């Protein structure tokens, strides 16, 4: 049986960061379904997420799954960096922390300078911001 499972999974994509996120969403939906027993929307979302999870994990199309994962990681990085910049701005009263819209790099600028043009040291993209 073990050998059959090994042969079946050979050449499959498996799990990545996006599948881990989908799994956590499944767990949250499962807990919500325990509290809201008759809510059909939560149950449908739960089953859809299971189908997506299994379809991605058992897929043999490495390129498509890898592209999906990279897009997810970029979006996740932008969201996480925005929260980190906001948290740093709350702690530091002399500087404001901004996030580059292109590469999601956190940039420190002096506070109370008005509207300024900021150049990202990482990707060299310029953007306007209020300090």
């Amino acid at each position: 049986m073990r050998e059959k499972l090994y042969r079946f999974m050979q050449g499959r994509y498996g799990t990545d960061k996006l599948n881990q996120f989908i799994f956590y969403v499944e767990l949250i939906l499962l807990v919500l379904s325990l509290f809201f027993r008759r809510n059909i929307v939560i149950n449908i979302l739960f089953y859809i997420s299971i189908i997506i999870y299994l379809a991605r994990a058992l897929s043999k199309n490495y390129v498509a799954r890898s592209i999906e994962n990279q897009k997810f990681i970029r979006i996740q990085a932008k969201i996480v960096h925005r929260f980190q910049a906001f948290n740093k701005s709350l702690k530091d009263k002399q500087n404001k922390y901004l996030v580059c819209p292109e590469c999601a790099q956190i940039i420190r600028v002096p506070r109370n300078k008005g509207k300024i043009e900021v150049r990202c040291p990482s990707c060299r993209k310029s953007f306007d911001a209020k300090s």
Side-chain angles (χ1 to χ4, degrees):
M1 186 68 175
R2 186 186 212 181
E3 184 66 32
K4 287 182 181 179
L5 181 63
Y6 178 74
R7 272 189 305 218
F8 175 74
M9 289 303 290
Q10 215 168 20
R12 308 287 177 167
Y13 186 68
T15 60
D16 55 9
K17 291 286 186 187
L18 180 54
N19 263 11
Q20 290 173 0
F21 176 75
I22 293 170
F23 179 74
Y24 293 136
V25 169
E26 287 175 15
L27 290 178
I28 291 169
L29 290 171
L30 182 63
V31 170
L32 286 176
S33 71
L34 294 174
F35 290 112
F36 305 105
R37 292 213 181 259
R38 304 237 182 237
N39 194 335
I40 192 83
V41 174
I42 292 175
N43 291 334
I44 290 173
L45 289 175
F46 176 73
Y47 290 122
I48 289 172
S49 64
I50 287 176
I51 291 169
I52 292 171
Y53 178 85
L54 289 175
R56 290 192 82 250
L58 298 176
S59 174
K60 288 188 175 185
N61 191 349
Y62 275 84
V63 176
R65 300 297 84 79
S66 179
I67 290 170
E68 291 169 356
N69 189 46
Q70 291 301 318
K71 286 180 184 177
F72 171 75
I73 289 173
R74 269 183 288 197
I75 292 169
Q76 181 189 27
K78 286 183 181 182
I79 293 170
V80 167
H81 285 149
R82 288 200 192 280
F83 280 116
Q84 288 175 344
F86 179 73
N87 191 20
K88 285 182 179 182
S89 289
L90 290 177
K91 291 179 182 176
D92 190 356
K93 299 299 179 191
Q94 294 177 349
N95 299 305
K96 184 174 181 179
Y97 293 85
L98 304 171
V99 177
C100 175
E102 190 71 25
C103 66
Q105 174 77 27
I106 297 176
I107 304 165
R108 185 180 68 187
V109 295
R111 208 179 272 276
N112 298 326
K113 297 292 183 185
K115 190 173 182 180
I116 58 173
E117 183 178 342
V118 180
R119 180 180 296 267
C120 177
S122 175
C123 68
R124 303 287 184 214
K125 172 143 172 80
S126 295
F127 60 96
D128 293 330
K130 197 180 232 185
S131 69

